[in-house]
């Protein structure tokens, strides 16, 4: 079990020391001389990225501009060299890496939970769902709220005999990639018929919203709806969300602690590309994901990008950044490996 919000290990501090020295040096540079760093992509981590940006500018004077246009849009912007880095909740696939035309580096930056949110009159938060039931709802196989497969999971809750209105992301989305990665692990039907990706072929008749904010906004204003968003968006909009049965058979609420548990013991490959959905940890919320920052290994702006990334992986992992927005910091070992990768950027 890694220690949530614990002090960084000795090795991590050793790696982070240059970042602290660099940051101190930047503070003496007039803001007018600082370069602007541009990024675009995932809406999943957008709230905490904006908080990082504000704190980084306050301490260094460096401007960072991040546009939350979805993971797919961010990757396309990086490939077209219109941004310095992309935010994505799923690493670039082989085709995208080929289009990039040069080596890219995947840097994990934060952990968060994807919640199954809903709007049902007179029914509050905490209905219980399983992975197969969620898959069948989003696959269009369960169409009414009072279907026995739903009602038996929440005894005492009076579900209406109303059609379920499914809302999904309309843009290329890392949140969709996390959600569909989970569903592919718990439903063979979903895996064979829908699959995993930033964009998938949803059943006809379903509704799409742009960004986490778009899905959250639609669910908030329309009764009988169900969707999926990052935890912070559900809390900010006061949208009810479900507890979900995990791989150990336990019903778990989506919290930052439960998302952290999903990363416990994960094997991190050399390329830092990994999934934490459907964790075997009994304390883990099963629809959790690692968001990433993607950058070219060599780029003219990487000197500035490296300083910002080091800030994120050290100062930005502290509880004053993560807890108010309901994200989870990276495990110390993952943060250390991410810092090692950042040091190699040129």
């Amino acid at each position: 079990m890694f220690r949530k919000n614990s002090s960084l290990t000795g090795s991590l501090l050793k790696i982070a020391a240059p970042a602290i020295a660099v940051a101190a040096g930047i503070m003496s540079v007039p803001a007018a001389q600082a370069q602007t760093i541009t990024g675009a992509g995932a809406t999943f981590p957008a709230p905490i990225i904006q908080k990082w940006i504000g704190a980084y500018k306050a301490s260094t004077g460096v401007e960072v501009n991040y546009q939350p246009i979805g993971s797919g849009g961010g990757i396309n912007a990086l490939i077209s060299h219109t941004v310095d880095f992309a935010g994505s909740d799923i690493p670039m696939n082989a085709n995208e890496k080929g289009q990039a035309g040069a080596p890219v580096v995947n840097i994990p930056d934060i952990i968060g939970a994807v919640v199954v949110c809903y709007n049902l009159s007179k029914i509050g938060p905490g209905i219980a769902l399983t992975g197969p039931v969620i898959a069948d709802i989003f696959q269009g196989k369960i169409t009414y709220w009072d279907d026995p497969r739903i009602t038996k999971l929440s005894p005492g809750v009076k579900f209406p005999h109303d059609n379920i209105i499914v809302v999904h992301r309309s843009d290329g989305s890392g949140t969709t990639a996390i959600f569909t990665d989970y569903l592919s692990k718990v439903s063979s039907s979903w895996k064979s018929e829908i699959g995993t990706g930033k964009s998938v072929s949803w059943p006809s008749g379903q509704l799409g919203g742009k960004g986490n904010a778009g899905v959250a906004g639609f669910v908030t204003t329309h009764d009988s709806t169900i969707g999926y968003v990052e935890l912070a968006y559900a809390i900010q909009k006061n949208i009810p969300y479900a507890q979900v049965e995990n791989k150990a058979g336990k019903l778990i609420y989506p919290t930052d602690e439960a998302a952290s548990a999903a990363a416990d013991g994960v094997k991190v490959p050399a390329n830092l590309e990994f999934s934490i959905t459907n964790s075997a940890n009994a304390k883990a919320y099963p629809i959790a994901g690692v968001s990433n920052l993607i950058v070219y290994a060599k780029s003219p702006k990487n000197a500035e990008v490296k300083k910002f990334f080091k800030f994120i992986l050290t100062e930005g992992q502290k509880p004053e950044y993560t807890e108010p927005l309901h994200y989870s910091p990276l495990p110390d070992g993952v943060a250390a490996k991410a810092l090692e990768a950042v040091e190699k950027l040129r």
Side-chain angles (χ1 to χ4, degrees):
M1 174 77 68
F2 73 85
R3 302 181 305 279
K4 182 177 180 293
N5 299 325
S6 62
S7 299
L8 294 176
T9 59
S11 61
L12 180 54
L13 286 171
K14 184 177 179 181
I15 297 170
I20 297 171
V22 170
I26 296 175
M27 291 179 68
S28 64
V29 180
Q33 296 180 20
Q35 296 188 61
T36 298
I37 304 168
T38 59
T43 64
F44 179 94
I48 196 167
I49 287 179
Q50 295 303 334
K51 190 168 186 175
W52 287 332
I53 286 172
Y56 189 68
K57 181 180 179 181
S59 65
T60 67
V62 176
E63 295 273 358
V64 181
N65 182 285
Y66 181 81
Q67 297 298 319
I69 60 175
S71 296
I75 287 173
N76 289 336
L78 181 70
I79 290 171
S80 64
H81 298 278
T82 57
V83 296
D84 302 313
F85 69 91
S88 178
D89 304 320
I90 186 171
M92 292 172 68
N93 58 38
N95 181 56
E96 290 165 339
K97 290 176 180 178
Q99 292 178 39
V104 294
V105 180
N106 189 81
I107 308 292
D109 63 332
I110 204 67
I111 294 169
V114 176
V115 307
V116 181
C117 59
Y118 55 90
N119 185 343
L120 284 169
S121 296
K122 300 180 181 179
I123 297 179
I127 67 170
L129 295 171
T130 66
V133 167
I134 296 169
D136 282 353
I137 290 171
F138 279 82
Q139 204 169 348
K141 295 181 177 181
I142 295 177
T143 58
Y144 286 94
W145 278 109
D146 62 350
D147 186 291
R149 287 169 287 179
I150 294 176
T151 60
K152 73 176 183 180
L153 297 171
S154 301
V157 177
K158 187 173 178 58
F159 288 91
H161 185 64
D162 292 340
N163 283 301
I164 300 173
I165 301 171
V166 176
V167 186
H168 56 76
R169 289 285 291 273
S170 60
D171 51 333
S173 159
T175 308
T176 296
I178 294 170
F179 187 60
T180 57
D181 178 58
Y182 166 70
L183 294 182
S184 290
K185 290 177 179 178
V186 298
S187 168
S188 58
S189 173
W190 183 278
K191 182 177 181 179
S192 63
E193 297 178 25
I194 306 293
T196 299
K198 294 187 291 294
S199 297
V200 296
S201 297
W202 299 97
S204 62
Q206 297 187 4
L207 302 175
K210 187 174 182 179
N212 274 283
V215 173
F218 199 96
V219 173
T220 300
T221 55
H222 292 77
D223 192 26
S224 198
T225 48
I226 189 169
Y228 59 92
V229 296
E230 198 276 325
L231 176 60
Y233 290 86
I235 292 175
Q236 289 169 4
K237 295 289 185 179
N238 197 30
I239 310 173
Y241 46 85
Q243 50 184 328
V244 180
E245 184 180 72
N246 66 13
K247 194 172 185 178
K250 296 180 180 292
L251 288 171
I252 302 290
Y253 279 103
T255 64
D256 53 346
E257 292 84 4
S260 288
D264 277 352
V266 66
K267 294 182 179 179
V268 182
N271 64 5
L272 299 177
E273 299 178 3
F274 58 97
S275 166
I276 60 173
T277 59
N278 203 36
S279 167
N281 188 325
K283 295 182 179 179
Y285 176 70
I287 321 177
V290 179
S291 196
N292 307 278
L293 303 169
I294 305 175
V295 64
Y296 279 100
K298 294 183 180 180
S299 177
K301 295 286 281 295
N302 272 0
E304 290 294 328
V305 169
K306 285 174 65 172
K307 297 169 190 174
F308 180 51
F309 283 9
K310 289 177 183 179
F311 172 86
I312 288 172
L313 293 168
T314 53
E315 179 72 17
Q317 300 297 304
K318 293 181 178 179
E320 54 262 42
Y321 292 93
T322 60
E323 289 185 354
L325 295 173
H326 306 284
Y327 292 93
S328 302
L330 298 172
D332 290 349
V334 176
K337 289 183 178 181
L339 279 166
E340 289 174 354
V342 169
E343 287 288 357
K344 297 176 182 177
L345 299 178
R346 294 293 180 264

